[in-house]
Amino acid sequence: MINGDVSFWWNQIGMPVTRPDLAADVDADVCIVGAGYTGLWTAYYLKLLAPDMRVVVLEQRFAGYGASGRNGGWLTNSITGGRDHFVAEFGRERVGDWQRRVNETVDEVIAMCAREKIDADIVKGGEFNVAMNRAQQARLEAWASSEAQWPMADAQLLSADEARDRIAIAGTTGGIWHPHAARIQPAKLARGLADACERLGVVIHENTTVTEIVPGAARSKHGTVRADFVIRATEGFTANFAQAHREWLPMNSSLVVTTPLPNAVWEEIGWVGRDVVGDMAHGYFYAQRTADDRIALGGRGKPYRFGSKTDNDGSTHEHTVEALRALLVRLFPVLGHDAHRPELDHAWSGVLGVPRDWSATVGLDAQTGFGWAGGYVGTGVTSTNLAGRTLADLVLRRDTDITHLPWVNHHVRRWEMEPLRWTAVHALYAMYGMADRSEARGRTSTSPLASLADAISGRVH
Ligand SMILES: Cc1cc2nc3c(=O)[nH]c(=O)nc-3n(C[C@H](O)[C@H](O)[C@H](O)COP(=O)(O)OP(=O)(O)OC[C@H]3O[C@@H](n4cnc5c(N)ncnc54)[C@H](O)[C@@H]3O)c2cc1C
């Protein structure tokens, strides 16, 4: 089994040959720091709308090195941290409109991939979440009734039998499914998007770490890019900038992938619709059936490293790998039989950015030309596209519907200093773990430990 080495997704298609680094000082109209989906979508839409604009992207390793080349491949319609807490300030109509835009963004990504001939193994099979005990079932039903109160609601509550017919997950008590989600191969999307940007004339420099962003410039030891607009698109790595160290907490998430599974196993499991799949646990899992019939399964792993340290090429703690292996067999007992026991081909981790209120943001300071987007927690695959389009509109001073969505220019306070940050995050996840175990033993409602953890974190998990 490979452990680390960025991700299975990159190993599957082959590590990229890196593009030339920045070799001298350069002038541009827009400089984007970070070549993940956020940076690349921003560059892409800028050049679509303003072909003459000089757009330079600086990337510390290679395009798609971060979460964009490592994620679970859920192109889904999540609004990070949920919609409800925006209602008091913006009203249900505007928040509902935001949700509609995110739903449409799933289709925009699919359409753009078709336009640019990017084959990212996309199948729009919807998002499916299951409950596996009474407390999870209660949360699932509460979620379904809260969804039903929105005009654009189209989530379907499924009985245990209906849910098991979709995907035979052991112990399923019920499910919820909605159509606004697709499975993707993340690295294929990142690679294709970077190539599409270059075809439009975007210049991407790799192996170029930006050490400082100041108004009108991004500095690296290779040189400086001077630009009217500098966009920070570094998400989970943002803590490495001294001035933004406590803005978004870098959180790890980990995945394992099996070898391709034989037809006999798929006949037992089902999963013909290729839906992306998760559960209602506080420390939830997320999974996809890959184009070559593997299961890729993700979960929280070791959540946080002291001092907001970010990455080691995705190398994953043995304990996390074993926990994911055990979870796989618990979900799909057929994989525990000697005849079908799969090997794990690869385990890896990635880093994502968590704001203090768990809500993503995108914005531009018109005075300084500094722009940003991120804090998507684990739900940025779709939102990065909306962020990229929004940043392009803001830079070009286009007053559009999306430049007024509730997350635009949303600000929140910083995280606590260390060691409080480390202690709080570890305590939170220990509490969520204990709550999940107590719910699995038969609690009928959400464990008070989880409610306490929600109160500390400021968000329901
Ligand atoms: C393991 C994992 C699973 C996930 N699963 C899902 C999922 O299934 N669905 C979903 O919606 N979301 C998921 N997410 C979240 C999603 O992947 C991210 O929200 C999204 O990819 C963020 O894109 P980004 O471009 O903002 O950040 P990134 O992809 O992290 O890109 C940031 C880039 O900036 C570069 N960079 C950083 N610092 C510097 C610097 N100083 N100078 C130059 N370059 C720099 C990095 O190398 C990186 O390439 C997951 C995340 C992880 C880690």
mmCIF file with all atom_site columns, all heavy atoms in Angstrom, residues 166-183:
data_model
loop_
_atom_site.group_PDB
_atom_site.id
_atom_site.type_symbol
_atom_site.label_atom_id
_atom_site.label_alt_id
_atom_site.label_comp_id
_atom_site.label_asym_id
_atom_site.label_entity_id
_atom_site.label_seq_id
_atom_site.pdbx_PDB_ins_code
_atom_site.Cartn_x
_atom_site.Cartn_y
_atom_site.Cartn_z
_atom_site.occupancy
_atom_site.B_iso_or_equiv
_atom_site.pdbx_formal_charge
_atom_site.auth_seq_id
_atom_site.auth_comp_id
_atom_site.auth_asym_id
_atom_site.auth_atom_id
_atom_site.pdbx_PDB_model_num
ATOM 1   N N   . ARG A 1 166 ? -30.641 1.128  -2.559  1.00 0.00 ? 166 ARG A N   1
ATOM 2   C CA  . ARG A 1 166 ? -29.703 2.021  -3.248  1.00 0.00 ? 166 ARG A CA  1
ATOM 3   C C   . ARG A 1 166 ? -28.281 1.527  -3.052  1.00 0.00 ? 166 ARG A C   1
ATOM 4   O O   . ARG A 1 166 ? -27.576 1.278  -4.008  1.00 0.00 ? 166 ARG A O   1
ATOM 5   C CB  . ARG A 1 166 ? -29.832 3.429  -2.636  1.00 0.00 ? 166 ARG A CB  1
ATOM 6   C CG  . ARG A 1 166 ? -30.080 4.451  -3.621  1.00 0.00 ? 166 ARG A CG  1
ATOM 7   C CD  . ARG A 1 166 ? -30.186 5.833  -3.097  1.00 0.00 ? 166 ARG A CD  1
ATOM 8   N NE  . ARG A 1 166 ? -29.778 6.635  -4.216  1.00 0.00 ? 166 ARG A NE  1
ATOM 9   C CZ  . ARG A 1 166 ? -30.527 6.870  -5.286  1.00 0.00 ? 166 ARG A CZ  1
ATOM 10  N NH1 . ARG A 1 166 ? -31.736 6.471  -5.365  1.00 0.00 ? 166 ARG A NH1 1
ATOM 11  N NH2 . ARG A 1 166 ? -30.055 7.541  -6.288  1.00 0.00 ? 166 ARG A NH2 1
ATOM 12  N N   . ILE A 1 167 ? -27.885 1.419  -1.787  1.00 0.00 ? 167 ILE A N   1
ATOM 13  C CA  . ILE A 1 167 ? -26.555 0.907  -1.450  1.00 0.00 ? 167 ILE A CA  1
ATOM 14  C C   . ILE A 1 167 ? -26.709 0.092  -0.167  1.00 0.00 ? 167 ILE A C   1
ATOM 15  O O   . ILE A 1 167 ? -27.227 0.602  0.830   1.00 0.00 ? 167 ILE A O   1
ATOM 16  C CB  . ILE A 1 167 ? -25.536 2.040  -1.209  1.00 0.00 ? 167 ILE A CB  1
ATOM 17  C CG1 . ILE A 1 167 ? -25.491 2.986  -2.409  1.00 0.00 ? 167 ILE A CG1 1
ATOM 18  C CG2 . ILE A 1 167 ? -24.154 1.458  -0.931  1.00 0.00 ? 167 ILE A CG2 1
ATOM 19  C CD1 . ILE A 1 167 ? -24.536 4.149  -2.244  1.00 0.00 ? 167 ILE A CD1 1
ATOM 20  N N   . ALA A 1 168 ? -26.241 -1.152 -0.205  1.00 0.00 ? 168 ALA A N   1
ATOM 21  C CA  . ALA A 1 168 ? -26.432 -2.033 0.962   1.00 0.00 ? 168 ALA A CA  1
ATOM 22  C C   . ALA A 1 168 ? -25.354 -1.742 2.003   1.00 0.00 ? 168 ALA A C   1
ATOM 23  O O   . ALA A 1 168 ? -24.299 -2.373 2.027   1.00 0.00 ? 168 ALA A O   1
ATOM 24  C CB  . ALA A 1 168 ? -26.389 -3.483 0.522   1.00 0.00 ? 168 ALA A CB  1
ATOM 25  N N   . ILE A 1 169 ? -25.639 -0.759 2.833   1.00 0.00 ? 169 ILE A N   1
ATOM 26  C CA  . ILE A 1 169 ? -24.727 -0.419 3.930   1.00 0.00 ? 169 ILE A CA  1
ATOM 27  C C   . ILE A 1 169 ? -25.278 -1.066 5.197   1.00 0.00 ? 169 ILE A C   1
ATOM 28  O O   . ILE A 1 169 ? -26.460 -0.887 5.532   1.00 0.00 ? 169 ILE A O   1
ATOM 29  C CB  . ILE A 1 169 ? -24.629 1.116  4.082   1.00 0.00 ? 169 ILE A CB  1
ATOM 30  C CG1 . ILE A 1 169 ? -23.937 1.707  2.841   1.00 0.00 ? 169 ILE A CG1 1
ATOM 31  C CG2 . ILE A 1 169 ? -23.870 1.495  5.361   1.00 0.00 ? 169 ILE A CG2 1
ATOM 32  C CD1 . ILE A 1 169 ? -23.822 3.211  2.839   1.00 0.00 ? 169 ILE A CD1 1
ATOM 33  N N   . ALA A 1 170 ? -24.424 -1.823 5.879   1.00 0.00 ? 170 ALA A N   1
ATOM 34  C CA  . ALA A 1 170 ? -24.896 -2.602 7.030   1.00 0.00 ? 170 ALA A CA  1
ATOM 35  C C   . ALA A 1 170 ? -25.460 -1.684 8.108   1.00 0.00 ? 170 ALA A C   1
ATOM 36  O O   . ALA A 1 170 ? -24.882 -0.648 8.412   1.00 0.00 ? 170 ALA A O   1
ATOM 37  C CB  . ALA A 1 170 ? -23.745 -3.423 7.593   1.00 0.00 ? 170 ALA A CB  1
ATOM 38  N N   . GLY A 1 171 ? -26.600 -2.071 8.656   1.00 0.00 ? 171 GLY A N   1
ATOM 39  C CA  . GLY A 1 171 ? -27.164 -1.351 9.795   1.00 0.00 ? 171 GLY A CA  1
ATOM 40  C C   . GLY A 1 171 ? -27.915 -0.085 9.420   1.00 0.00 ? 171 GLY A C   1
ATOM 41  O O   . GLY A 1 171 ? -28.303 0.690  10.301  1.00 0.00 ? 171 GLY A O   1
ATOM 42  N N   . THR A 1 172 ? -28.160 0.125  8.104   1.00 0.00 ? 172 THR A N   1
ATOM 43  C CA  . THR A 1 172 ? -28.871 1.338  7.679   1.00 0.00 ? 172 THR A CA  1
ATOM 44  C C   . THR A 1 172 ? -30.288 1.370  8.260   1.00 0.00 ? 172 THR A C   1
ATOM 45  O O   . THR A 1 172 ? -31.038 0.411  8.134   1.00 0.00 ? 172 THR A O   1
ATOM 46  C CB  . THR A 1 172 ? -28.973 1.368  6.140   1.00 0.00 ? 172 THR A CB  1
ATOM 47  O OG1 . THR A 1 172 ? -27.658 1.451  5.602   1.00 0.00 ? 172 THR A OG1 1
ATOM 48  C CG2 . THR A 1 172 ? -29.774 2.565  5.657   1.00 0.00 ? 172 THR A CG2 1
ATOM 49  N N   . THR A 1 173 ? -30.634 2.501  8.890   1.00 0.00 ? 173 THR A N   1
ATOM 50  C CA  . THR A 1 173 ? -32.003 2.641  9.399   1.00 0.00 ? 173 THR A CA  1
ATOM 51  C C   . THR A 1 173 ? -32.834 3.581  8.509   1.00 0.00 ? 173 THR A C   1
ATOM 52  O O   . THR A 1 173 ? -34.046 3.679  8.659   1.00 0.00 ? 173 THR A O   1
ATOM 53  C CB  . THR A 1 173 ? -32.001 3.219  10.828  1.00 0.00 ? 173 THR A CB  1
ATOM 54  O OG1 . THR A 1 173 ? -31.323 4.482  10.800  1.00 0.00 ? 173 THR A OG1 1
ATOM 55  C CG2 . THR A 1 173 ? -31.286 2.292  11.806  1.00 0.00 ? 173 THR A CG2 1
ATOM 56  N N   . GLY A 1 174 ? -32.171 4.301  7.631   1.00 0.00 ? 174 GLY A N   1
ATOM 57  C CA  . GLY A 1 174 ? -32.877 5.218  6.723   1.00 0.00 ? 174 GLY A CA  1
ATOM 58  C C   . GLY A 1 174 ? -31.849 6.029  5.952   1.00 0.00 ? 174 GLY A C   1
ATOM 59  O O   . GLY A 1 174 ? -30.646 5.972  6.240   1.00 0.00 ? 174 GLY A O   1
ATOM 60  N N   . GLY A 1 175 ? -32.347 6.784  4.963   1.00 0.00 ? 175 GLY A N   1
ATOM 61  C CA  . GLY A 1 175 ? -31.402 7.568  4.165   1.00 0.00 ? 175 GLY A CA  1
ATOM 62  C C   . GLY A 1 175 ? -32.040 8.849  3.664   1.00 0.00 ? 175 GLY A C   1
ATOM 63  O O   . GLY A 1 175 ? -33.250 9.062  3.790   1.00 0.00 ? 175 GLY A O   1
ATOM 64  N N   . ILE A 1 176 ? -31.206 9.712  3.128   1.00 0.00 ? 176 ILE A N   1
ATOM 65  C CA  . ILE A 1 176 ? -31.703 10.927 2.486   1.00 0.00 ? 176 ILE A CA  1
ATOM 66  C C   . ILE A 1 176 ? -30.870 11.112 1.215   1.00 0.00 ? 176 ILE A C   1
ATOM 67  O O   . ILE A 1 176 ? -29.653 10.895 1.224   1.00 0.00 ? 176 ILE A O   1
ATOM 68  C CB  . ILE A 1 176 ? -31.615 12.137 3.446   1.00 0.00 ? 176 ILE A CB  1
ATOM 69  C CG1 . ILE A 1 176 ? -32.293 13.368 2.858   1.00 0.00 ? 176 ILE A CG1 1
ATOM 70  C CG2 . ILE A 1 176 ? -30.190 12.459 3.849   1.00 0.00 ? 176 ILE A CG2 1
ATOM 71  C CD1 . ILE A 1 176 ? -32.494 14.498 3.882   1.00 0.00 ? 176 ILE A CD1 1
ATOM 72  N N   . TRP A 1 177 ? -31.540 11.466 0.133   1.00 0.00 ? 177 TRP A N   1
ATOM 73  C CA  . TRP A 1 177 ? -30.860 11.568 -1.166  1.00 0.00 ? 177 TRP A CA  1
ATOM 74  C C   . TRP A 1 177 ? -31.296 12.853 -1.849  1.00 0.00 ? 177 TRP A C   1
ATOM 75  O O   . TRP A 1 177 ? -32.458 13.247 -1.755  1.00 0.00 ? 177 TRP A O   1
ATOM 76  C CB  . TRP A 1 177 ? -31.248 10.367 -2.037  1.00 0.00 ? 177 TRP A CB  1
ATOM 77  C CG  . TRP A 1 177 ? -30.590 10.360 -3.391  1.00 0.00 ? 177 TRP A CG  1
ATOM 78  C CD1 . TRP A 1 177 ? -29.388 9.806  -3.713  1.00 0.00 ? 177 TRP A CD1 1
ATOM 79  C CD2 . TRP A 1 177 ? -31.107 10.926 -4.607  1.00 0.00 ? 177 TRP A CD2 1
ATOM 80  N NE1 . TRP A 1 177 ? -29.116 9.998  -5.049  1.00 0.00 ? 177 TRP A NE1 1
ATOM 81  C CE2 . TRP A 1 177 ? -30.147 10.683 -5.630  1.00 0.00 ? 177 TRP A CE2 1
ATOM 82  C CE3 . TRP A 1 177 ? -32.274 11.618 -4.931  1.00 0.00 ? 177 TRP A CE3 1
ATOM 83  C CZ2 . TRP A 1 177 ? -30.324 11.107 -6.940  1.00 0.00 ? 177 TRP A CZ2 1
ATOM 84  C CZ3 . TRP A 1 177 ? -32.450 12.044 -6.259  1.00 0.00 ? 177 TRP A CZ3 1
ATOM 85  C CH2 . TRP A 1 177 ? -31.484 11.783 -7.247  1.00 0.00 ? 177 TRP A CH2 1
ATOM 86  N N   . HIS A 1 178 ? -30.371 13.539 -2.486  1.00 0.00 ? 178 HIS A N   1
ATOM 87  C CA  . HIS A 1 178 ? -30.749 14.660 -3.356  1.00 0.00 ? 178 HIS A CA  1
ATOM 88  C C   . HIS A 1 178 ? -29.942 14.603 -4.642  1.00 0.00 ? 178 HIS A C   1
ATOM 89  O O   . HIS A 1 178 ? -28.875 13.974 -4.686  1.00 0.00 ? 178 HIS A O   1
ATOM 90  C CB  . HIS A 1 178 ? -30.594 16.009 -2.627  1.00 0.00 ? 178 HIS A CB  1
ATOM 91  C CG  . HIS A 1 178 ? -29.167 16.434 -2.432  1.00 0.00 ? 178 HIS A CG  1
ATOM 92  N ND1 . HIS A 1 178 ? -28.377 16.884 -3.466  1.00 0.00 ? 178 HIS A ND1 1
ATOM 93  C CD2 . HIS A 1 178 ? -28.382 16.465 -1.332  1.00 0.00 ? 178 HIS A CD2 1
ATOM 94  C CE1 . HIS A 1 178 ? -27.170 17.177 -3.013  1.00 0.00 ? 178 HIS A CE1 1
ATOM 95  N NE2 . HIS A 1 178 ? -27.150 16.924 -1.716  1.00 0.00 ? 178 HIS A NE2 1
ATOM 96  N N   . PRO A 1 179 ? -30.452 15.262 -5.700  1.00 0.00 ? 179 PRO A N   1
ATOM 97  C CA  . PRO A 1 179 ? -29.828 15.065 -7.020  1.00 0.00 ? 179 PRO A CA  1
ATOM 98  C C   . PRO A 1 179 ? -28.635 15.973 -7.346  1.00 0.00 ? 179 PRO A C   1
ATOM 99  O O   . PRO A 1 179 ? -27.976 15.773 -8.365  1.00 0.00 ? 179 PRO A O   1
ATOM 100 C CB  . PRO A 1 179 ? -30.990 15.380 -7.977  1.00 0.00 ? 179 PRO A CB  1
ATOM 101 C CG  . PRO A 1 179 ? -31.840 16.361 -7.230  1.00 0.00 ? 179 PRO A CG  1
ATOM 102 C CD  . PRO A 1 179 ? -31.717 16.019 -5.779  1.00 0.00 ? 179 PRO A CD  1
ATOM 103 N N   . HIS A 1 180 ? -28.334 16.967 -6.476  1.00 0.00 ? 180 HIS A N   1
ATOM 104 C CA  . HIS A 1 180 ? -27.352 17.982 -6.875  1.00 0.00 ? 180 HIS A CA  1
ATOM 105 C C   . HIS A 1 180 ? -25.922 17.599 -6.503  1.00 0.00 ? 180 HIS A C   1
ATOM 106 O O   . HIS A 1 180 ? -25.229 18.326 -5.790  1.00 0.00 ? 180 HIS A O   1
ATOM 107 C CB  . HIS A 1 180 ? -27.703 19.320 -6.231  1.00 0.00 ? 180 HIS A CB  1
ATOM 108 C CG  . HIS A 1 180 ? -29.098 19.750 -6.502  1.00 0.00 ? 180 HIS A CG  1
ATOM 109 N ND1 . HIS A 1 180 ? -29.509 20.200 -7.735  1.00 0.00 ? 180 HIS A ND1 1
ATOM 110 C CD2 . HIS A 1 180 ? -30.197 19.744 -5.718  1.00 0.00 ? 180 HIS A CD2 1
ATOM 111 C CE1 . HIS A 1 180 ? -30.802 20.462 -7.693  1.00 0.00 ? 180 HIS A CE1 1
ATOM 112 N NE2 . HIS A 1 180 ? -31.231 20.193 -6.476  1.00 0.00 ? 180 HIS A NE2 1
ATOM 113 N N   . ALA A 1 181 ? -25.481 16.468 -6.966  1.00 0.00 ? 181 ALA A N   1
ATOM 114 C CA  . ALA A 1 181 ? -24.117 16.042 -6.645  1.00 0.00 ? 181 ALA A CA  1
ATOM 115 C C   . ALA A 1 181 ? -23.606 15.086 -7.714  1.00 0.00 ? 181 ALA A C   1
ATOM 116 O O   . ALA A 1 181 ? -24.375 14.315 -8.296  1.00 0.00 ? 181 ALA A O   1
ATOM 117 C CB  . ALA A 1 181 ? -24.080 15.356 -5.280  1.00 0.00 ? 181 ALA A CB  1
ATOM 118 N N   . ALA A 1 182 ? -22.309 15.180 -7.953  1.00 0.00 ? 182 ALA A N   1
ATOM 119 C CA  . ALA A 1 182 ? -21.672 14.271 -8.902  1.00 0.00 ? 182 ALA A CA  1
ATOM 120 C C   . ALA A 1 182 ? -20.384 13.729 -8.312  1.00 0.00 ? 182 ALA A C   1
ATOM 121 O O   . ALA A 1 182 ? -19.745 14.384 -7.498  1.00 0.00 ? 182 ALA A O   1
ATOM 122 C CB  . ALA A 1 182 ? -21.366 15.006 -10.210 1.00 0.00 ? 182 ALA A CB  1
ATOM 123 N N   . ARG A 1 183 ? -20.033 12.534 -8.760  1.00 0.00 ? 183 ARG A N   1
ATOM 124 C CA  . ARG A 1 183 ? -18.725 11.983 -8.409  1.00 0.00 ? 183 ARG A CA  1
ATOM 125 C C   . ARG A 1 183 ? -17.694 12.474 -9.420  1.00 0.00 ? 183 ARG A C   1
ATOM 126 O O   . ARG A 1 183 ? -17.995 12.532 -10.622 1.00 0.00 ? 183 ARG A O   1
ATOM 127 C CB  . ARG A 1 183 ? -18.793 10.449 -8.489  1.00 0.00 ? 183 ARG A CB  1
ATOM 128 C CG  . ARG A 1 183 ? -17.432 9.825  -8.291  1.00 0.00 ? 183 ARG A CG  1
ATOM 129 C CD  . ARG A 1 183 ? -17.305 8.489  -8.992  1.00 0.00 ? 183 ARG A CD  1
ATOM 130 N NE  . ARG A 1 183 ? -17.229 8.610  -10.440 1.00 0.00 ? 183 ARG A NE  1
ATOM 131 C CZ  . ARG A 1 183 ? -17.317 7.582  -11.262 1.00 0.00 ? 183 ARG A CZ  1
ATOM 132 N NH1 . ARG A 1 183 ? -17.541 6.380  -10.783 1.00 0.00 ? 183 ARG A NH1 1
ATOM 133 N NH2 . ARG A 1 183 ? -17.217 7.741  -12.578 1.00 0.00 ? 183 ARG A NH2 1
#
